[in-house]
Amino acid sequence: MATTVPDTAEVELAIGGMTCASCAARIEKKLNRMEGVSATVNYATEKAKVTFRPDLDVADLIATVEATGYTARQPEPDSAPGAAGDDQGGGPGQETQGDELRPLRQRLVTAVVLAVPVIAMAMVPAWQFEYWQWLSLTLAAPVVTYAAWPFHRAAWTNAKHGAATMDTLISVGTLAAFLWSLWALFFGTAGTPGMTHPFELTIARTDGAGNIYLEAAAGVTAFILAGRYFEARSKRKAGAALRALLQLGAKDVTVLRGGREEQIPVGELKVGDVFLVRPGEKIATDGTVVEGTSAVDASMLTGESVPVEVGAGDAVTGATVNAGGRLVVKATRVGADTQLARMAKLVEGAQNGKAAAQRLADKISGVFVPVVIALALGTLGFWLGNGAGLTAAFTAAVAVLIIACPCALGLATPTALMVGTGRGAQLGILIKGPEVLESTRKVDTIVLDKTGTVTTGRMTLLAVHTADGTDEREVLRLAGALEHASEHPIAQAVAAGAAERVGALPTPEDFANVPGLGVQGVVDGHAVLVGRTKLLAEWAIKLPDGLARAKADAEAAGRTAIAVAWDGEARAVLEVADAVKDTSAEAITRLRALGLTPILLTGDNKAVAQAVAAEVGIDEVIAEVMPEDKVDVVKRLQNQGRSVAMVGDGVNDAAALAQADLGLAMGTGTDAAIEAGDLTLVRGDLRAAADAIRLARRTLGTIKSNLFWAFAYNVAALPLAAAGLLNPMIAGAAMAFSSVFVVGNSLRLRGFKAAS
């Protein structure tokens, strides 16, 4: 048979040197300009996913990235099957990011330690001893050169490609301040012993020869580095959703070879291998049952709240839990072909779709930076043309750059984010980063997973229907005692409910499990049957009309109905279901009040889903969906022009959480869901979703007001600077006041309260 040549190949590249979202956009644009190449660059994970024609070489792609001013390499392949997913989530790359934090932290510490005395001496005339300006130069020089080096390097890279970002403004402003100070110290009068910066707020034209701006250069560097450091720390967790997914699977497996049991790592499992799964163990990989019967808990993968009964010939999925008997399974898919690995791919794809998100400061600086640079050059030209002299012209131009240098801008996002996330943590709400906040304002639809989100995620005994003349407590005593001896999750729900209502349960004198039907035994001298009506039928026992109606009603509402009989007569029907959380209905009301339309999305059957939706007040239900379908549902809603929030707790929700505009993960759920979400609700209470959206919107509002005021002070003073009327004290005071204002505005978030 002839082999077919694939139309496209795919590679993942690790990208280095990006400092903001606009860097990712620039790389993406350059790669997509290559013929036959389609690329997505993710700033958060620092990776590029590239689809290209097979006749192209990966080296060409790397060369294109490097020509853009960044680095690119292929991540090292892992030897273990499926381990590639680990690298996608961080793997070796995680260590690299950890190493990158160390020099950033060193630069930050250097900047803070050296900048504080420089700022203090410049702002407090009493501390300006005879040669204070030379000590300021000595302390500020390492800050502007060593500590600020990442900004200068990025600015140079941007300049080579005709672009300007926050790095450009920071680099130009700090260098202008430092170089002018050098000129004033060595060639002007600022180096004279006894020179002081008097605390004057008068507006007067000066030639600048006696002014130094070292505190501005050092202070800006320290503040901006602090913001970058906190941002880098949050980026280290990017991609952890994939690691959490892959760690969910079993690590070892017991294979049957030549009639012997042999324990091997899951990575060595091959298609066709037969392996053993004992009660309570995870199923190692996707396969088909060849021997045994059991109940398999697949809720983490499928969202199905009721364990699925499996027997010979039935398919089972890797990472699901064998809740009942012993199973012998034949492996049908291993490694990257398993459902778990495919879900990891879905999460990765959804995360890459967020690569276009940009920081608010970058958006503003895209316009602000070129305008300021043009204004500074215009100021220089204007004063030179008007015969003011070279010194006065340069003073005015440098003053424009100094006052425009956004000291408060470095604090605008980090301080609001730190206070907002700190307050959120106190309330059980974890916010991942600034990109998350932008989504909260736009969301208009909230998709809710059912199992573990709207419901408890645990099977619970909800109702007992008894035949005429039968005591409910007696039903619970006998049925509960028999079910207590079973490992089946539904049986455990009955036993727990019975013990809660009647207290201690008797011990069965005889017990037998009837696979797929229920349990039978002797309790207190009574021959008791608990299970499906088919089990009772085998003993020629029929349900009376009243119990038959109760069973039909329960099943119509999506609940599991269990028949109870003893001594040859049907005595009761028990209703077991995944109970709705007490707070869910109130949470739906609060979400509606925030302008959100709730939709219930679940892998469970339609009857169950509609019953739950009716109980909590949700009108739209989408049921019986697999994990891939959940992603498709979110995409479909987004294609309709909706901005979608998703709340979930299971592995089956992870990809949809990553695809949604805003992902809210229940902290009581799996690590995979928590890592894929943008917000984590630690309490597992759906009301926290409404509080989380309120807090995120409030934090975003604070960041926006911070950004406005951070620029407002600069913009208001720009005309004075351009007119040559701004002395360094006014510039320093305005910069300090704007920073204090931004911090104070952010601290107001500490007063945020959860709705009572």
Side-chain angles (χ1 to χ4, degrees), residues 15 93 114 123 232 245 259 296 323 374 385 407 436 451 483 493 506 515 518 539 600 612 644 657 673 689 730:
I15 307 294
L114 298 180
M123 303 303 282
L245 273 175
V296 172
C407 180
V436 175
T451 309
E483 293 282 55
W539 292 79
L600 190 67
V612 169
V644 181
L657 285 167
I730 292 179

Side-chain angles (χ1 to χ4, degrees), residues 350-400:
Q351 284 185 334
N352 279 336
K354 290 187 176 179
Q358 286 194 342
R359 301 246 187 281
L360 286 170
D362 282 322
K363 289 180 181 176
I364 298 170
S365 65
V367 177
F368 188 69
V369 175
V371 168
V372 167
I373 293 172
L375 183 60
L377 292 173
T379 301
L380 177 65
F382 174 80
W383 287 114
L384 284 175
N386 279 274
L390 186 64
T391 305
F394 265 97
T395 301
V398 170
V400 168

Side-chain angles (χ1 to χ4, degrees), residues 278-280 294-295 307 322-326 482-493 511 513 519:
R278 296 183 178 85
S294 181
N322 177 14
R326 177 182 184 273
L482 206 56
E483 293 282 55
H484 187 63
S486 171
E487 294 175 335
H488 196 289
I490 292 179
Q492 289 297 306
F511 170 83
N513 182 47
V519 292

Side-chain angles (χ1 to χ4, degrees), residues 26 28 33 36 123 144 165 181 208-209 296 300 309 327 347 352 375 416 436 489 516 576 707 735 742:
R26 192 172 305 124
E28 193 173 294
R33 279 181 181 168
M123 303 303 282
V144 177
T165 64
S181 300
V296 172
M300 288 190 298
E309 301 284 348
L327 292 175
V347 174
N352 279 336
L375 183 60
V436 175
V576 173
L707 290 171
M735 192 178 291
V742 161

Side-chain angles (χ1 to χ4, degrees), residues 273-410:
D273 280 347
V274 176
F275 60 93
L276 179 65
V277 190
R278 296 183 178 85
E281 289 184 344
K282 288 179 181 176
I283 295 171
T285 193
D286 298 358
T288 305
V289 177
V290 294
E291 184 186 317
T293 58
S294 181
V296 172
D297 180 1
S299 59
M300 288 190 298
L301 283 171
T302 65
E304 179 70 49
S305 53
V306 180
V308 181
E309 301 284 348
V310 296
D314 291 331
V316 290
T317 306
T320 55
V321 179
N322 177 14
R326 177 182 184 273
L327 292 175
V328 177
V329 180
K330 183 177 182 179
T332 55
R333 287 191 298 229
V334 297
D337 295 328
T338 63
Q339 185 174 345
L340 188 65
R342 291 203 308 271
M343 288 173 67
K345 281 283 184 191
L346 282 172
V347 174
E348 181 195 4
Q351 284 185 334
N352 279 336
K354 290 187 176 179
Q358 286 194 342
R359 301 246 187 281
L360 286 170
D362 282 322
K363 289 180 181 176
I364 298 170
S365 65
V367 177
F368 188 69
V369 175
V371 168
V372 167
I373 293 172
L375 183 60
L377 292 173
T379 301
L380 177 65
F382 174 80
W383 287 114
L384 284 175
N386 279 274
L390 186 64
T391 305
F394 265 97
T395 301
V398 170
V400 168
L401 291 173
I402 298 303
I403 196 63
C405 200
C407 180
L409 193 63

Side-chain angles (χ1 to χ4, degrees), residues 461-705:
L461 177 62
L462 297 180
V464 180
H465 304 278
T466 58
D468 293 339
T470 302
D471 178 52
E472 182 178 314
R473 290 180 62 82
E474 185 69 1
V475 170
L476 291 172
R477 278 186 75 255
L478 299 181
L482 206 56
E483 293 282 55
H484 187 63
S486 171
E487 294 175 335
H488 196 289
I490 292 179
Q492 289 297 306
V494 172
E500 190 180 315
R501 299 183 197 191
V502 301
L505 301 172
T507 303
E509 296 143 40
D510 184 31
F511 170 83
N513 182 47
V514 185
L517 294 180
V519 292
Q520 61 189 43
V522 178
V523 183
D524 286 353
H526 299 286
V528 184
L529 302 171
V530 183
R532 297 184 178 183
T533 50
K534 192 176 176 184
L535 176 63
L536 274 62
E538 288 186 359
W539 292 79
I541 300 173
K542 280 187 67 177
L543 288 181
D545 291 344
L547 292 183
R549 278 195 303 275
K551 175 180 178 292
D553 291 344
E555 288 174 344
R559 296 176 177 179
T560 301
I562 303 161
V564 181
W566 66 80
D567 298 341
E569 282 187 46
R571 309 284 182 161
V573 166
L574 310 178
E575 285 188 35
V576 173
D578 182 7
V580 172
K581 292 178 182 176
D582 296 338
T583 56
S584 291
E586 184 187 344
I588 300 302
T589 304
R590 292 186 185 179
L591 290 168
R592 285 188 187 277
L594 289 170
L596 305 176
T597 303
I599 297 174
L600 190 67
L601 178 66
T602 178
D604 224 332
N605 70 66
K606 199 163 189 176
V608 173
Q610 287 178 331
V612 169
E615 190 173 338
V616 299
I618 297 175
D619 302 324
E620 192 174 343
V621 177
I622 304 171
E624 299 173 10
V625 291
M626 293 300 288
E628 302 93 311
D629 300 325
K630 288 193 174 187
V631 178
D632 291 339
V633 167
V634 172
K635 285 181 181 174
R636 189 172 72 242
L637 291 168
Q638 288 170 329
N639 291 338
Q640 292 170 4
R642 299 201 204 185
S643 185
V644 181
M646 167 83 190
V647 188
D649 75 323
V651 176
N652 63 310
D653 304 315
L657 285 167
Q659 173 64 40
D661 299 289
L662 180 68
L664 296 96
M666 305 298 275
T668 49
T670 63
D671 287 346
I674 290 168
E675 294 295 350
D678 300 311
L679 293 161
T680 300
L681 313 176
V682 177
R683 300 201 304 268
D685 181 344
L686 191 55
R687 289 179 301 182
D691 289 334
I693 290 172
R694 281 178 51 240
L695 175 60
R697 285 179 176 178
R698 180 85 61 83
T699 307
L700 177 64
T702 301
I703 289 174
K704 284 186 170 180
S705 62

